[in-house]
Amino acid sequence: HPPNSYSSTRLAYDESIANHGPDDFYTLKKAVEHHFDDFTLQQLLSYLRLSGWDSKIFLDSYPALQLKLASVPDNLRAELYDATRQLWATHYPIGEQRNLAGYLGSLLYEIEYYPKALEYFHHALDQVGPDPAMLTKMALCHYHLRQLKPALKRLNQALDLDPTHEQARTLRTKIQTKLKRRKS
């Protein structure tokens, strides 16, 4: 067939690649990644959305995102939760050094979505194995949910792995004191 007979294919290519190609986004990404600290939380979420929920972009922007979590309005808390779901749904693990599930759990912990944070921390443990810091984060979620016995169980696991883990030791003492008071 003559090359001009594929006009629909040429048009589809022009619309999807030539006009909005991956090279364009990559070029933009390289320019933007050094300025995450300057973004608002809404801008970071918009950029993640534009990236197609790219987990590497999320992980690279996480330090800037974390700084903005202290004062999150309710409407953005729900949007952040939706973002974690999208990031997890589009993630394809290929042996990265950073554990996406752990970061998603930490984000959800910071915005007080404790049950959902626990789900991601479970995924993180499945990927990296027992980890005192992750177990302590899980214990903190249980603690905030007033689930003291599961919190204590996670803290004991953390301290079995690292008896010097100060945050786990402090929280375990606090929980043990509360449980003793309940019994009296």
Side-chain angles (χ1 to χ4, degrees), residues 18-175:
N19 292 335
H20 306 287
D23 289 340
D24 292 332
F25 187 79
Y26 181 76
T27 301
L28 180 62
K29 175 190 168 296
K30 294 312 277 177
V32 166
E33 65 189 9
H34 302 291
H35 303 284
F36 289 137
D37 290 339
D38 299 329
F39 281 35
T40 66
L41 184 55
Q42 187 65 49
Q43 288 168 334
L44 283 169
L45 285 167
S46 295
Y47 187 59
L48 283 169
R49 197 175 300 109
L50 281 173
S51 77
W53 304 108
D54 185 295
S55 60
K56 182 173 180 340
I57 290 174
F58 167 74
L59 292 169
D60 291 346
S61 67
Y62 187 79
L65 184 65
Q66 189 178 26
L67 292 174
K68 294 161 182 29
L69 294 178
S71 58
V72 179
D74 287 341
N75 65 320
L76 286 184
R77 287 169 36 120
E79 199 171 331
L80 281 165
Y81 168 65
D82 288 338
T84 62
R85 290 179 42 244
Q86 292 291 338
L87 284 156
W88 189 249
T90 59
H91 179 61
Y92 183 78
I94 54 172
E96 302 91 342
Q97 293 296 322
R98 297 179 290 180
N99 187 321
L100 177 65
Y103 282 90
L104 294 174
S106 293
L107 185 151
L108 291 170
Y109 173 82
E110 291 297 325
I111 62 170
E112 300 175 359
Y113 277 52
Y114 304 120
K116 294 299 179 183
L118 278 168
E119 289 179 28
Y120 286 107
F121 289 142
H122 279 286
H123 289 302
L125 284 179
D126 289 344
Q127 291 175 359
V128 298
D131 175 73
M134 196 71 58
L135 290 162
T136 302
K137 288 178 182 182
M138 293 175 83
L140 283 164
C141 289
H142 285 297
Y143 178 78
H144 288 295
L145 292 168
R146 294 182 173 82
Q147 301 168 345
L148 299 183
K149 288 183 181 178
L152 193 56
K153 177 183 174 188
R154 292 298 182 185
L155 291 168
N156 287 333
Q157 291 171 328
L159 290 167
D160 285 346
L161 295 168
D162 179 6
T164 65
H165 195 287
E166 192 59 39
Q167 186 180 24
R169 288 173 43 183
T170 302
L171 185 57
R172 182 173 70 176
T173 301
K174 187 175 184 178
I175 290 172

